């Protein structure tokens, strides 16, 4: 790997376990939108390993150079240059995709942004579309570990939105059915939703 590429150790650690879930969840999908691609590491790995999909990256503009660098370093025919997509500001084009993926975004976004993302997914996704949402969440208000509770507190102190509870995500997305809660390494979860 070129040393100048932006790098997330967490992404490198979790990409294979996430892929094992996405390979099944997106098996009937064709066109995936990723919200908050970050470094771009996940995108190039999933695009290479899920060649039946077209993988549309997106993020806030200041992430785009890094995503372009990863796509240039690890090109795939099925990965697309990032869209500017800012939840809470951009039009959210969920109606154009039969799958959406996002990782580690709900605890970074402000609460109103997560509400906007979930409600837009609920209203705009085509029938049968799949939404896979990876990250740390609380279940019925309970943190999965002490370290997660401490991280949530640090996020709040730094001005981020902090962990969201699975129940509130369900409430904000009434047309989505939560079909599976996958337990992932490092006390994370992958929530698999389907548009009814
Ligand atoms: C912790 S990083 C995760 C990046 C990558 N998905 C990963 O798993 O490594 C949080 C990501 O959420 C994105 N993000 C935060 N607020 C956002 C918003 N309102 N709209 C779109 N993306 C947002 C950031 O730009 C960043 O890419």
């Amino acid at each position: 790997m070129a040393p100048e590429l932006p790098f997330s150790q967490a992404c490198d650690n979790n990409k294979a376990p996430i892929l094992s879930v996405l390979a099944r969840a997106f098996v009937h999908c064709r066109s995936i939108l990723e919200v908050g691609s970050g470094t771009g590491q996940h995108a190039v790995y999933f695009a290479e390993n899920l060649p039946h999909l077209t993988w549309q990256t997106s993020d806030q503009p200041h992430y785009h150079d890094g995503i372009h660098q990863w796509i240039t370093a690890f090109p795939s025919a099925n990965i697309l240059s990032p869209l500017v997509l800012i939840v809470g500001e951009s039009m959210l084009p969920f109606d154009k995709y039969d799958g959406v993926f996002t990782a580690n975004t709900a605890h970074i976004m402000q609460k109103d942004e997560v509400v906007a993302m979930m409600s837009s997914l609920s209203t705009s996704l085509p029938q049968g579309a799949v939404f896979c949402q990876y990250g740390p969440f609380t279940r019925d208000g309970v943190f999965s570990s002490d370290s997660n509770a401490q991280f949530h507190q640090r996020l709040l102190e730094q001005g981020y939105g902090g962990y969201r509870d699975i129940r509130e995500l369900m409430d904000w997305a009434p047309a989505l059915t939560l079909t599976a809660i996958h337990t992932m390494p490092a006390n994370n979860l992958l929530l698999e939703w389907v548009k009814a």
Side-chain angles (χ1 to χ4, degrees), residues 12-137:
D12 204 51
N13 296 344
N14 62 34
K15 65 184 184 182
I18 294 175
L19 175 65
S20 70
V21 176
L22 299 188
R24 291 192 302 273
F26 288 155
V27 68
H28 298 301
C29 296
R30 290 291 169 265
S31 187
I32 305 299
L33 172 64
E34 180 180 12
V35 176
S37 297
T39 61
Q41 282 167 262
H42 276 157
V44 299
Y45 181 74
F46 298 146
E48 180 187 358
N49 286 285
L50 299 169
H52 68 290
L53 299 174
T54 298
W55 196 275
Q56 176 64 67
T57 57
S58 82
D59 211 317
Q60 305 182 77
H62 54 282
Y63 283 87
H64 286 206
D65 279 354
I67 297 168
H68 280 299
Q69 286 175 47
W70 273 90
I71 293 174
T72 301
F74 299 96
S76 290
N78 59 331
I79 191 166
L80 300 177
S81 293
L83 301 176
V84 174
L85 195 158
I86 305 173
V87 175
E89 294 181 20
S90 308
M91 290 292 291
L92 301 176
F94 295 138
D95 57 320
K96 298 182 176 57
Y97 301 89
D98 59 8
V100 174
F101 172 73
T102 196
N104 291 316
T105 55
H107 62 291
I108 300 298
M109 293 177 185
Q110 300 302 315
K111 179 179 179 180
D112 62 326
E113 293 168 343
V114 185
V115 173
M117 179 172 72
M118 297 306 297
S119 62
S120 179
L121 286 162
S122 179
T123 56
S124 304
L125 274 180
Q127 190 175 8
V130 177
F131 172 46
C132 287
Q133 183 174 27
Y134 172 87
F137 305 93

